[in-house]
Amino acid sequence: MIIKYSPESLGKAGRCLRVLAHPARLLIIHLLGQGERSVQELEKEVGISQSSISQHLNLLKDKDILESRRAAQQVFYRLKNPRLLELTTLTRELFCKE
Amino acid sequence: MIIKYSPESLGKAGRCLRVLAHPARLLIIHLLGQGERSVQELEKEVGISQSSISQHLNLLKDKDILESRRAAQQVFYRLKNPRLLELTTLTRELFCKE
DNA sequence: TCTGTGTATTTATATATCTATATATAATGA
DNA sequence: TCATTATATATAGATATATAAATACACAGA
């Protein structure tokens, strides 16, 4: 393990985890784990307003968790690193047992 | 994978992750990964006030992440589930690369 | 260029979290 | 019981986050 517990890395890890620590964003990541989705599709599947979805997506993109491509009017989002699913899976294993 | 992405489990996972998503608490978990510590020891190693340490420990205990035992005046805390370290390690691997 | 559709941003308000300070409780030993 | 040490809780002000509504922007087709 090269990565130290420096104040910087603790801060960065904390900020990234905090962005993940939201039900809607966890669901977005789960869905994107199955393949890319347009904002529209996410809006329907997550069940919150377009504006909220867009704001959540923006937070995740800011943290380099998602990336996107535009196809005509639509924008498709996908996980930047599929290993992120390991983290959400582990989270459920540890905290959602029953 | 038995665990579903129900609103309840998403909410619970989100709340637990959020408690982890703080630099001081990540450091506490890292330290407790090496073995139990008294509040006093954590106070010194983390470098924040006794009151703050106690409040962080309480949040973690509320989420069933830590457990404690009292020995005379001191209270020692430890990780309830050592697998939690897998989560913090993965977090650093994913988010603290550089 | 105008219109419609899809997405992003801005703004305001409500709510939650952080931190420090002060105070309270618990256990020990004199 | 009193004083001391260790830990926990309460409170308040500052800061951060969440959410909805309104608006702005981007693209495609007529």
Side-chain angles (χ1 to χ4, degrees):
Chain A
M1 177 66 54
I2 292 141
I3 300 146
K4 293 187 308 175
Y5 269 93
S6 65
E8 298 76 37
S9 67
L10 285 170
K12 182 156 187 218
R15 286 188 299 277
C16 289
L17 271 186
R18 156 159 296 219
V19 167
L20 296 183
H22 187 286
R25 294 194 289 265
L26 286 174
L27 183 51
I28 287 170
I29 286 163
H30 171 66
L31 293 168
L32 295 183
Q34 303 169 350
E36 69 173 13
R37 294 279 200 289
S38 69
V39 176
Q40 244 186 132
E41 291 170 322
L42 288 172
E43 184 183 349
K44 281 173 203 149
E45 293 185 274
V46 179
I48 61 180
S49 73
Q50 179 271 320
S51 167
S52 283
I53 285 287
S54 189
Q55 289 176 71
H56 287 307
L57 290 171
N58 190 47
L59 283 172
L60 290 165
K61 204 176 171 186
D62 271 359
K63 288 288 175 291
D64 243 32
I65 291 167
L66 302 184
E67 55 192 359
S68 62
R69 69 179 177 90
R70 178 179 278 276
Q73 297 113 310
Q74 300 187 82
V75 177
F76 290 86
Y77 283 83
R78 60 180 173 277
L79 294 183
K80 197 154 180 182
N81 182 355
R83 286 198 66 202
L84 198 70
L85 291 175
E86 296 176 27
L87 199 147
T88 54
T89 297
L90 187 54
T91 298
R92 278 176 297 146
E93 284 178 22
L94 293 175
F95 301 126
C96 302
K97 279 285 172 51
E98 53 227 327
Chain B
M1 176 66 55
I2 293 140
I3 300 147
K4 292 186 309 173
Y5 268 95
S6 64
E8 298 76 37
S9 67
L10 286 169
K12 183 159 186 214
R15 285 189 299 276
C16 290
L17 272 186
R18 155 157 299 219
V19 167
L20 297 183
H22 187 286
R25 294 194 289 265
L26 286 173
L27 183 50
I28 287 171
I29 286 162
H30 171 68
L31 293 168
L32 295 183
Q34 303 168 352
E36 68 172 14
R37 295 278 199 289
S38 69
V39 176
Q40 243 187 134
E41 292 169 322
L42 288 172
E43 182 183 349
K44 281 173 202 148
E45 294 184 273
V46 178
I48 62 180
S49 72
Q50 179 271 319
S51 166
S52 283
I53 286 287
S54 189
Q55 289 177 70
H56 288 306
L57 291 171
N58 191 45
L59 283 172
L60 291 165
K61 203 174 170 188
D62 271 359
K63 289 288 175 291
D64 242 32
I65 291 168
L66 303 184
E67 53 193 0
S68 62
R69 67 179 178 90
R70 179 178 277 276
Q73 297 111 314
Q74 300 186 82
V75 177
F76 290 87
Y77 282 83
R78 60 180 174 277
L79 295 183
K80 197 155 181 181
N81 182 354
R83 288 198 66 200
L84 198 70
L85 292 174
E86 296 175 29
L87 199 147
T88 55
T89 297
L90 187 54
T91 298
R92 278 176 296 145
E93 284 178 22
L94 292 175
F95 301 126
C96 303
K97 278 285 172 51
E98 53 226 326

